[in-house]
């Protein structure tokens, strides 16, 4: 019989994409302030990532003929993976706060990074997602094996892209330093 133990703490991060200028949303529209209120200080903001080239799924909601920009944002404090359902509910509420006429202008995909995986939260069931409570599902989006991120069959195209994977590598390096300090 195995003995139960507390899970490793993880690094929460968000993939944020916006209708238009992501810096406008982060800094002038108080998105950064709201995120830090709920998740603690941000310790990393990725370079600007082109999200538009992977899908036009969000154009109807966010606006046609706009550039959809994204960034990966990492939070400083390590937390329990068990916080993921609450984290998703918080980000859904933040998205609602920025909606106009019921249409989102900001999308926040919340998840966490562990040294072995990158996990995203969703409100939608699918065969590759596990129900984790409060109407939320968890999806292992990437696994880290033999020194690199490995996409899975169902991994979204943007998270297979080298530019995104490089940013996740940077966040993973930060996480490993934080984890080492926490364990020591």
């Amino acid at each position: 019989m195995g003995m139960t133990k507390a899970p490793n703490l993880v690094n929460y991060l968000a993939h944020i994409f916006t209708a238009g200028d992501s810096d406008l949303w982060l800094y002038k529209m108080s998105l950064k302030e709201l995120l830090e209120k709920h998740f603690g200080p941000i310790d990393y903001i990725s370079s600007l990532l082109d999200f538009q080239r992977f899908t036009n799924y969000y154009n109807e909601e966010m606006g046609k003929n706009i550039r959809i920009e994204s960034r990966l944002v990492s939070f400083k404090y390590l937390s329990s993976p068990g916080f993921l359902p609450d984290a998703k509910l918080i980000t859904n509420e933040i998205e609602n706060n920025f909606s106009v006429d019921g249409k989102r202008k900001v999308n926040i995909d919340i998840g966490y990074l562990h040294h072995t995986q990158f996990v995203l939260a969703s409100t939608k069931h699918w065969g590759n997602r596990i129900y984790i409570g409060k109407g939320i599902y968890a999806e292992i989006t990437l696994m880290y094996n033999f020194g690199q991120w490995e996409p899975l069959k169902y991994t979204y195209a943007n998270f297979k892209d080298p530019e995104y994977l490089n940013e996740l590598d940077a966040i993973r390096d930060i996480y490993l330093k934080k984890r080492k300090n926490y364990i020591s």
Side-chain angles (χ1 to χ4, degrees), residues 6-146:
N8 291 330
L9 296 179
V10 296
N11 194 123
Y12 274 81
L13 64 122
H15 174 238
I16 301 167
F17 55 95
T18 61
D21 184 353
S22 63
D23 286 342
L24 169 73
W25 289 99
L26 273 174
Y27 300 109
K28 294 187 178 161
M29 301 296 284
S30 305
L31 178 58
K32 181 178 183 278
E33 184 179 302
L34 274 173
L35 289 169
E36 288 183 325
K37 174 184 171 187
H38 293 286
F39 299 103
I42 291 172
D43 63 359
Y44 183 85
I45 298 177
S46 76
S47 60
L48 189 62
L49 300 165
D50 181 3
F51 185 67
Q52 187 72 44
R53 67 187 164 111
F54 297 104
T55 182
N56 60 7
Y57 177 83
Y58 297 92
N59 289 34
E60 187 66 35
E61 182 177 17
M62 291 188 156
K64 293 185 179 184
N65 302 317
I66 59 153
R67 178 178 167 88
I68 297 180
E69 299 180 337
S70 74
R71 293 196 185 263
L72 288 167
V73 174
S74 167
F75 300 99
K76 180 178 178 179
Y77 302 125
L78 300 183
S79 188
S80 169
F83 177 62
L84 191 57
D86 292 316
K88 182 63 176 169
L89 294 174
I90 290 166
T91 57
N92 281 357
E93 185 61 33
I94 292 171
E95 288 177 1
N96 286 336
N97 289 341
F98 288 108
S99 293
V100 176
D101 297 327
K103 293 187 177 189
R104 290 179 295 176
K105 298 301 175 190
V106 173
N107 187 92
I108 307 166
D109 293 328
I110 193 74
Y112 63 76
L113 189 141
H114 180 272
H115 67 280
T116 62
Q117 60 191 195
F118 171 48
V119 176
L120 286 173
S122 179
T123 58
K124 299 175 221 62
H125 176 266
W126 196 243
N128 61 317
R129 295 177 181 160
I130 308 262
Y131 184 73
I132 56 173
K134 300 184 179 183
I136 306 301
Y137 298 83
E139 171 185 299
I140 298 174
T141 300
L142 297 165
M143 292 176 55
Y144 198 85
N145 287 310
F146 304 107

